[in-house]
Amino acid sequence: MEPIILAYIGIGLMVGLAGVGSAYGCTIAGNATIGALKKTPEAFGNFLALSAMPGTQGIYGFVGFFVLQGRLVAEMSWWHAAAIFGAGIALGLAGLLSAIRQGQVCANGIAAIGSGHNVFGNTLIMAAFPELYAILALLVTILINGTLG
Amino acid sequence: MKKYAFLVYHKDYLDFLSELQELGVLHVIEKKTGEIEDVALREKFSQIQQYNQLVSFLQKRQIEPAKELKELDGLKIFKEIKELQIQKDQYLQQLTTLKKEQSLLEPWGDFSWSTIDNLQKAGIKARFLSCSARKFSDAWQNSFYVEAINEIKGQIYFVLFEKINEKTEIDAEEITLPRRKLSDVLEQINETNTKLENTETLFDNYAATAIEALIKTKNKFTGEVTFDKVVLNTQKEADDKLMILEGWVPNDKAEVLVAYLEKKSVYYNMYEPSKEDSIPIKLKNNWFSRLFEPIGELYSLPQYNELDLTPFFAPFFMLFFGFCLGDIGYGLLILLAAFYYKPKVKPKIRPILTLGQFLGISTILMGLVSGTFFGINLLETNFLFFPSLRFMMLDSNELMTLALIIGGIQIIFGICIKAVRIILFEGFRASLATLGWIVVIAGCAAVYFLSDFGYIAKESSKNLYLIIGVIGGVPILFLNSPGKNIFLNFGLGLWDSYGMLSGLLGDLLSYIRLFALGISSAVLGLVFNQIAVGLSGDIPVVSHIIMILILLFGHTLNLGLSALGSFVHPMRLTFVEFYKNSGFSGGGLKYKPFIK
């Protein structure tokens, strides 16, 4: 097997899993929004902001690929391939699961706002908690890229 | 704040309350029974909601308000519009029924039922049937009395005639028709449509003239609700003859109230707040910090004996937002948008746009530091607007260090605030352990950087660490709880140190998000620039249009999502890391005066 294959598997996991996570997260929050709009259509701005929050993990995956893009050459070493594969697993998994879970936090917040509770700010803060770990995974990807001479 | 209790005779009570409402300084203390259950009050609440719905229903029609508004009776208008809405629903239902009849009758044309009835009298029954054109065979024509009337979409509609007492077996679908003439149905549809149009016109008239009257009436209800709530929060004594009301008044408003009470010779008592009281909070901030109050309120107001941290986190929040978004172009956009809309919005929203201006300025400054303009990395390009600004720009490693340094500064700053608060509210001796921590953290950081830059030799730095450790460590381990014995102090000190050290590391690393978010928004901008240049091809004019479209879409998306993140994450750093280290617990009650 050539090292480039492993590297591309890593990139696939990175972009694919993080993107799937964001798609799921936004959908979970979006569904809650549709339900909550029946009761409080005037809070759509709040719902929009909360539904957009799980959308960032997919972007982190994409940014991660972009950072590593220059390393993907046909004659790459096993060292580079392994590094990219590791970064891909880290960012892919962290993005996938944190986005889905973040979507659930946002959905609960949206439902609560729909029932007339004023919890927009609190939900934003709570939703920022799981996101940190996707941000850290992106940071690790950037740092890994820095270690590849 | 001072607490006041009033004792009023029941006959004078409602007048007293009205005058109190005019003054608008008293924050009424609510009974501890939780939500007050009162049928009349609930009724008014639902009325207010219905008024809100009507107003937004009319506002959605976007009709220009009439030039000359007459005084209208909101209650009457409300009833009229409600009735009109019910009427509209009835018309719509009628229309649905009529349309159904129309679709049933249409294939058969405009025939008269009297003909059918005459045949019936003569002993001949007409049956209305339909089947697919392929099935409608010539064989039927010979064996039954059938007549094809119409063919629509491959379906043949035909009539079969038979004697009253016969039942012809035929493989076709029987259709039950409404006993109406098609032309009558069509006429009724037209009539109903005209009625509907008329109701819409009436709605439009209301939208042009009645919105203000409705809002006025709603506000009257809202005022009544606040009034009723106060009445319900009154304690009744001596066979309901005496009314007792309690509330809070800010010190600077007390004069007005006392002057009124003396004039009216109302019996009252004034109390200093005690520790058990939950005292309402009214924030006092200068014009800059006040802009950040809405952000602070998203978490919680301070308690009465806490410092209000708004002025302390405001500059940090501004800097953090800039750090996360960090793009000269985006900053300019935010700044210009805030400038453009500021004169156009309601005065209530204006402070938010002023906040937007500040955040925009911060984004521009941090964009200069990171060297990003609409995703273009200025460090790697040759066309700099101001080459002299290059010295300001940091590469990504330096930015990461900067994020951590800023985080460290905010954490130490938070611990200093905690020490000040303890000195103010609990006395100097209680603050010794906190001061010890400040010595340890700030001292070690200073020595580390000084030895890192070579100002201090490695050997002497070790001794310095030791000295700082002793100076800070003694109060941390032995003086953390004045008045308790030394062993308990030591145990608590150890526990406190463990919590502090493990917490500090996590808190500090949490600030690294500033750098990661900054990188992420910059890279995404860069990506959209590349896609725009790469995908647009080289067809003259068309390529440029495609390029501009991609740039517009991409940067709008990036600005929206990144701005959201840049707002939320600094908020979290403020509320979690900064508030924790400054010992802020919050949970204060907002001062809401009883006012018209």
Side-chain angles (χ1 to χ4, degrees), chain B residues 118-329:
Chain B
N118 289 337
L119 282 172
Q120 188 97 355
K121 279 177 196 154
I124 292 170
K125 189 164 66 173
R127 287 169 61 192
F128 298 88
L129 301 160
S130 85
C131 67
S132 65
R134 273 177 308 156
K135 253 169 72 177
F136 191 78
S137 56
D138 296 339
W140 287 3
Q141 306 269 24
N142 301 330
S143 47
F144 305 120
Y145 296 103
V146 291
E147 185 61 47
I149 306 287
N150 207 338
E151 181 175 349
I152 300 168
K153 288 182 192 163
Q155 280 281 10
I156 295 271
Y157 294 84
F158 62 97
V159 183
L160 181 141
F161 297 99
E162 60 188 10
K163 292 211 169 74
I164 291 265
N165 48 11
E166 279 179 8
K167 178 81 177 158
T168 317
E169 287 297 323
I170 187 162
D171 187 15
E173 195 187 346
E174 187 101 26
I175 296 174
T176 320
L177 286 182
R179 281 192 58 90
R180 318 257 325 249
K181 244 175 104 73
L182 178 64
S183 49
D184 293 350
V185 173
L186 288 174
E187 201 175 320
Q188 245 190 311
I189 286 178
N190 278 337
E191 276 171 26
T192 318
N193 271 329
T194 319
K195 281 179 189 164
L196 265 177
E197 276 164 27
N198 291 342
T199 43
E200 294 296 326
T201 320
L202 284 173
F203 280 137
D204 283 350
N205 285 344
Y206 282 124
T209 55
I211 290 181
E212 209 163 301
L214 287 172
I215 291 176
K216 232 184 196 159
T217 315
K218 185 202 83 178
N219 288 345
K220 198 179 108 238
F221 276 127
T222 319
E224 282 172 16
V225 164
T226 35
F227 194 91
D228 293 352
K229 267 188 171 168
V230 174
V231 174
L232 287 168
N233 275 308
T234 306
Q235 223 176 307
K236 300 182 176 94
E237 296 292 339
D239 297 337
D240 294 355
K241 291 268 189 301
L242 282 182
M243 301 287 164
I244 299 174
L245 183 72
E246 289 185 319
W248 295 97
V249 177
N251 296 345
D252 53 358
K253 300 264 171 72
E255 266 180 52
V256 188
L257 179 75
V258 171
Y260 159 78
L261 295 172
E262 299 293 346
K263 197 176 84 188
K264 289 272 163 182
S265 57
V266 174
Y267 180 79
Y268 73 94
N269 258 340
M270 190 194 82
Y271 307 92
E272 287 294 328
S274 69
K275 269 202 169 172
E276 290 75 46
D277 284 325
S278 67
I279 306 160
I281 301 293
K282 191 175 168 217
L283 297 180
K284 285 184 201 160
N285 279 313
N286 64 18
W287 65 271
F288 175 72
S289 304
R290 206 174 306 138
L291 299 174
F292 292 81
E293 278 178 9
I295 298 173
E297 278 176 28
L298 284 175
Y299 178 79
S300 152
L301 285 166
Q303 287 179 14
Y304 191 70
N305 61 354
E306 275 185 320
L307 295 173
D308 172 22
L309 294 186
T310 313
F312 303 115
F313 78 67
F316 280 104
F317 186 93
M318 193 175 142
L319 176 69
F320 292 167
F321 183 91
F323 210 125
C324 294
L325 199 54
D327 188 302
I328 303 168

Side-chain angles (χ1 to χ4, degrees), chain A residues 41 48-50 52-53 55-56 59-60 62-63 66-67 69 120-122 124-125 127-129 131-132 135-136 138-139 142-143, chain B residues 60 298-299 396-397 400 509-510 512-513 515-517 519-520 523-524 526-527 530-531 557 561 564 567-569 571-572 575-576:
Chain A
L48 191 75
L50 288 173
M53 281 199 77
T56 40
I59 292 176
Y60 298 149
F62 182 77
V63 169
F66 189 82
V67 168
Q69 200 184 3
F120 175 63
N122 315 46
L124 275 180
I125 299 160
F129 278 59
E131 180 153 343
L132 170 65
I135 295 178
L136 287 184
L138 172 64
L139 191 69
I142 294 169
L143 292 176
Chain B
K60 272 191 191 131
L298 284 175
Y299 178 79
S396 58
N397 281 335
M400 192 160 102
L509 284 177
S510 190
I512 212 158
R513 75 180 70 214
F515 159 72
L517 285 166
I519 284 267
S520 157
V523 168
L524 209 61
L526 182 66
V527 168
Q530 288 196 352
I531 293 175
L557 183 81
L561 276 176
L564 180 69
F567 193 83
V568 169
H569 286 282
M571 220 163 74
R572 178 225 138 107
F575 296 151
V576 181

Side-chain angles (χ1 to χ4, degrees), chain B residues 319-581:
Chain B
L319 176 69
F320 292 167
F321 183 91
F323 210 125
C324 294
L325 199 54
D327 188 302
I328 303 168
Y330 292 169
L332 280 171
L333 278 183
I334 294 174
L335 188 63
L336 291 175
F339 262 116
Y340 175 77
Y341 283 109
K342 212 168 156 180
K344 299 186 183 224
V345 294
K346 296 174 190 157
K348 234 181 175 175
I349 303 177
R350 224 162 275 165
I352 294 176
L353 290 181
T354 315
L355 178 68
Q357 287 172 328
F358 276 105
L359 296 180
I361 291 168
S362 160
T363 308
I364 295 172
L365 289 176
M366 287 310 292
L368 282 170
V369 172
S370 65
T372 324
F373 178 81
F374 281 119
I376 301 163
N377 189 335
L378 298 180
L379 271 177
E380 291 169 11
T381 47
N382 291 326
F383 66 96
L384 261 182
F385 305 93
F386 313 102
S388 54
L389 287 174
R390 198 178 270 273
F391 78 96
M392 276 181 64
M393 295 181 188
L394 302 175
D395 66 15
S396 58
N397 281 335
E398 289 165 331
L399 275 174
M400 192 160 102
T401 317
L402 181 67
L404 290 176
I405 290 173
I406 292 174
I409 291 172
Q410 198 188 24
I411 290 173
I412 293 173
F413 182 58
I415 300 173
C416 289
I417 289 174
K418 184 173 165 184
V420 170
R421 183 182 64 90
I422 296 175
I423 292 171
L424 282 179
F425 295 105
E426 294 172 39
F428 182 74
R429 280 209 52 195
S431 73
L432 285 173
T434 312
L435 292 173
W437 277 114
I438 296 172
V439 170
V440 170
I441 298 164
C444 290
V447 172
Y448 174 80
F449 279 112
L450 287 174
S451 67
D452 203 41
F453 289 114
Y455 293 108
I456 305 175
K458 281 265 183 292
E459 282 308 307
S460 53
S461 69
K462 271 184 193 164
N463 294 332
L464 278 173
Y465 282 130
L466 200 66
I467 294 166
I468 290 166
V470 171
I471 294 174
V474 168
I476 291 171
L477 289 177
F478 300 104
L479 304 171
N480 56 54
S481 325
K484 295 200 169 104
N485 76 41
I486 189 155
F487 294 106
L488 192 66
N489 259 309
F490 183 68
L492 283 171
L494 275 183
W495 176 244
D496 182 36
S497 306
Y498 164 73
M500 194 79 180
L501 290 173
S502 59
L504 270 181
L505 189 69
D507 289 350
L508 192 62
L509 284 177
S510 190
Y511 284 86
I512 212 158
R513 75 180 70 214
L514 295 173
F515 159 72
L517 285 166
I519 284 267
S520 157
S521 66
V523 168
L524 209 61
L526 182 66
V527 168
F528 283 120
N529 293 341
Q530 288 196 352
I531 293 175
V533 174
L535 283 188
S536 52
D538 48 9
I539 315 157
V541 186
V542 178
S543 292
H544 287 114
I545 292 171
I546 293 173
M547 191 164 105
I548 288 166
L549 282 179
I550 294 175
L551 283 176
L552 268 178
F553 169 78
H555 282 296
T556 310
L557 183 81
N558 188 21
L559 177 57
L561 276 176
S562 302
L564 180 69
S566 308
F567 193 83
V568 169
H569 286 282
M571 220 163 74
R572 178 225 138 107
L573 289 174
T574 303
F575 296 151
V576 181
E577 278 75 13
F578 179 59
Y579 275 13
K580 185 180 82 180
N581 284 303

Side-chain angles (χ1 to χ4, degrees), chain A residues 67-68 71 79 139-149, chain B residues 397:
Chain A
V67 168
L68 295 168
R71 311 276 177 197
W79 164 40
L139 191 69
V140 165
T141 305
I142 294 169
L143 292 176
I144 284 177
N145 182 55
T147 59
L148 303 177
Chain B
N397 281 335

Side-chain angles (χ1 to χ4, degrees), chain A residues 32 36 47 50 103-115 117 119-120 123:
Chain A
F47 299 157
L50 288 173
Q104 288 167 341
V105 172
C106 292
N108 282 324
I110 288 165
I113 294 170
S115 315
H117 301 286
V119 291
F120 175 63
T123 311

